[in-house]
Amino acid sequence: MPVFTYKGRSGRGDLVQGSLEGSDSSAIADQLINTGITPIEIKASRSSHPKTEGPSLWQRLSQDKSVDPLEVMLFSRQMYTLLKAGVPIMRALAGLQESTQNQLFATMIQDLRESLDSGRELSTAMRRHPKVFSHFYVSMVQVGEMTGMLDQTFLRLYEHLEFEKDMRERIKSALRYPTFVVIAMAIALVIVNLFVIPAFAKVFEGFHTELPMMTKVLLGFSHFMVASWPVLLAALIGAVVGFRSWVNTVDGRYKWDRYKFQLPIAGPIIKKATLARFARSLALSFKSGIPIVQALNTVGMVVDNEFMRSKVEQMRDGVERGESILRTAHATGVFNPTVMQMIAVGEETGDMDGLMFEVAGMYERDVEYEVKNLSAQIEPIMIVGLGAMVLVLALGIFLPMWDLGKAALHR
């Protein structure tokens, strides 16, 4: 049987520690209580039972990075179902650990169970895995523990994660086709300039005549790309690396997130999707009973946009000073008049969570509509760009041949 080390308090309050054999930590706790010792901490002794050792060093370093968000979403739904059915939380976690196919996620659940065994709360145990459970997720679980509505909290978290997943997939699907077309055009342009135009250049040299301006431009640009492609490739890689490094800085991330809202066509979609995420998260916090200042602080961690996060923090600071939500929201300058009116009604009636859900729904419908029309807006631009590229190539290549044909006819 495995060996467990324990710490506890005797009937007189003295600290007692030692080790005992047992099937699990619950059995050890029963043994200690029967002997008059109140357990404080119970841990498996790794040296005495190798099979109960924790994950390897590589697993500990990579477990949080390898957990798919879908796993967390399904975990939330399953926890709601089990807790609603009256299953004790330790038994629920044990069942989920056995049923999951992801070994790293199972290891994480095992860590949650051990933390609960040692007397920690579930939210405290989840806080040990910040790359799996966000600050918003942990705060919601903590409120669920305080209010005794942990099952409903997991249901709301599942719905929230499902909404986040749906929003990301909509934007990705809308951008997939335009991205593919732009990449294909860029590849075609490189191939034409590196291989096609140089072949025609040898033919044009045999004409021994003055070439049209368009042809000279094409030949000059092609010659530049052939002679300088290593430099251009290095410059492209350097630009990508430099941009990523700049975005990873605090100032760079803030400026880029602010600029994303101003992008043509895609900017309004990104802004409305961010505002929908903010409104739904805030409504969920209000509905769960989180105090407004803590709710704004928590929601700021969810929006995934530094510019929007600064606006949420601005709202939080205003509320801390005693200002109304309406006034602080108006000061940010990111909400339209309709939303401001709904916030005013929500404050007046005390139904902020319901009104914020309405705001989220309004933004979600706008995003859905614009995502459906995104391809229709981008296609004309791509067609014009593709047509201009083909026209330039056609004129540059076929004008010399046409001039040569006319000269031959006049002879």
Side-chain angles (χ1 to χ4, degrees):
M1 295 180 69
V3 178
F4 292 83
T5 59
Y6 67 86
K7 292 182 181 179
R9 295 284 181 182
S10 65
R12 295 181 300 177
D14 297 330
L15 179 64
V16 180
Q17 54 185 348
S19 60
L20 288 172
E21 288 188 359
S23 57
D24 55 27
S25 57
S26 299
I28 299 298
D30 291 339
Q31 292 182 46
L32 293 173
I33 292 173
N34 291 335
T35 58
I37 297 175
T38 302
I40 298 175
E41 184 178 281
I42 301 175
K43 289 184 178 180
S45 177
R46 299 184 178 183
S47 59
S48 62
H49 191 56
K51 290 186 179 180
T52 62
E53 288 185 358
S56 64
L57 176 61
W58 169 251
Q59 287 178 320
R60 288 184 177 276
L61 291 175
S62 63
Q63 65 176 354
D64 289 348
K65 298 179 181 179
S66 303
V67 173
D68 193 283
L70 183 61
E71 292 272 4
V72 182
M73 190 174 75
L74 294 177
F75 169 80
S76 304
R77 179 67 186 188
Q78 291 166 340
M79 284 295 292
Y80 161 71
T81 303
L82 292 169
L83 294 178
K84 185 176 177 61
V87 179
I89 188 170
M90 288 297 294
R91 190 183 303 172
L93 289 172
L96 293 180
Q97 181 183 352
E98 294 176 2
S99 62
T100 183
Q101 301 297 317
N102 188 328
Q103 185 58 41
L104 295 176
F105 197 72
T107 303
M108 188 273 299
I109 296 178
Q110 174 64 28
D111 183 74
L112 295 182
R113 292 177 60 197
E114 291 177 356
S115 296
L116 290 175
D117 272 339
S118 63
R120 296 189 182 97
E121 294 180 338
L122 180 60
S123 57
T124 304
M126 287 180 170
R127 196 170 281 114
R128 291 160 51 90
H129 303 273
K131 294 180 181 177
V132 178
F133 302 108
S134 66
H135 183 74
F136 177 78
Y137 195 104
V138 174
S139 297
M140 289 290 296
V141 171
Q142 186 175 16
V143 171
E145 290 174 325
M146 293 168 58
T147 59
M149 299 175 61
L150 196 56
D151 55 342
Q152 293 298 320
T153 299
F154 276 116
L155 177 61
R156 292 168 186 166
L157 285 169
Y158 166 76
E159 293 172 348
H160 173 76
L161 293 174
E162 188 178 34
F163 159 75
E164 293 278 312
K165 179 176 176 291
D166 180 61
M167 191 67 65
R168 284 193 300 267
E169 288 181 351
R170 284 182 183 180
I171 295 177
K172 285 181 180 179
S173 63
L175 296 177
R176 189 175 297 120
Y177 172 69
T179 302
F180 173 77
V181 172
V182 170
I183 292 175
M185 290 174 61
I187 294 174
L189 187 63
V190 171
I191 292 175
V192 167
N193 279 281
L194 291 182
F195 301 102
V196 178
I197 294 180
F200 278 97
K202 296 179 182 179
V203 177
F204 295 154
E205 288 177 1
F207 289 175
H208 302 292
T209 183
E210 184 71 16
L211 297 175
M213 180 58 66
M214 186 69 71
T215 306
K216 290 181 180 180
V217 171
L218 282 179
L219 292 177
F221 185 69
S222 174
H223 177 73
F224 171 73
M225 286 194 67
V226 171
S228 307
W229 71 265
V231 177
L232 294 175
L233 182 61
L236 178 62
I237 295 174
V240 172
V241 173
F243 175 77
R244 291 177 65 90
S245 301
W246 176 69
V247 167
N248 288 331
T249 63
V250 175
D251 184 60
R253 184 70 180 181
Y254 175 85
K255 290 181 178 178
W256 171 240
D257 284 343
R258 182 179 60 183
Y259 177 71
K260 283 193 292 189
F261 290 165
Q262 302 170 4
L263 289 173
I265 301 177
I269 299 177
I270 297 173
K271 181 178 180 179
K272 290 178 180 178
T274 303
L275 291 173
R277 186 179 298 117
F278 160 77
R280 180 169 287 273
S281 303
L282 189 60
L284 195 57
S285 300
F286 286 152
K287 190 173 184 179
S288 301
I290 300 178
I292 182 171
V293 175
Q294 183 183 348
L296 289 170
N297 189 54
T298 302
V299 169
M301 304 293 179
V302 181
V303 293
D304 194 26
N305 185 287
E306 288 299 326
F307 176 72
M308 187 64 192
R309 182 172 298 159
S310 69
K311 298 299 182 181
V312 175
E313 291 174 353
Q314 180 181 337
M315 290 180 63
R316 180 202 62 197
D317 295 340
V319 171
E320 285 182 335
R321 292 193 300 267
E323 299 177 6
S324 65
I325 301 177
L326 177 63
R327 184 173 180 178
T328 57
H330 185 269
T332 61
V334 296
F335 298 103
N336 61 40
T338 304
V339 175
M340 298 302 301
Q341 184 177 358
M342 296 180 76
I343 292 176
V345 173
E347 276 196 309
E348 186 175 348
T349 60
D351 186 27
M352 276 299 297
D353 55 340
L355 269 296
M356 291 307 292
F357 273 124
E358 290 293 331
V359 171
M362 184 185 70
Y363 278 126
E364 289 167 26
R365 288 189 293 272
D366 286 348
V367 169
E368 184 177 2
Y369 174 78
E370 294 197 18
V371 164
K372 287 181 179 178
N373 294 323
L374 183 60
S375 296
Q377 296 178 42
I378 294 178
E379 280 177 3
I381 300 174
M382 292 190 300
I383 291 173
V384 171
L386 183 61
M389 186 177 71
V390 172
L391 179 63
V392 170
L393 291 174
L395 290 176
I397 291 174
F398 292 113
L399 271 180
M401 297 183 180
W402 187 51
D403 292 343
L404 184 63
K406 287 197 303 182
L409 288 176
H410 286 297
R411 285 180 179 177

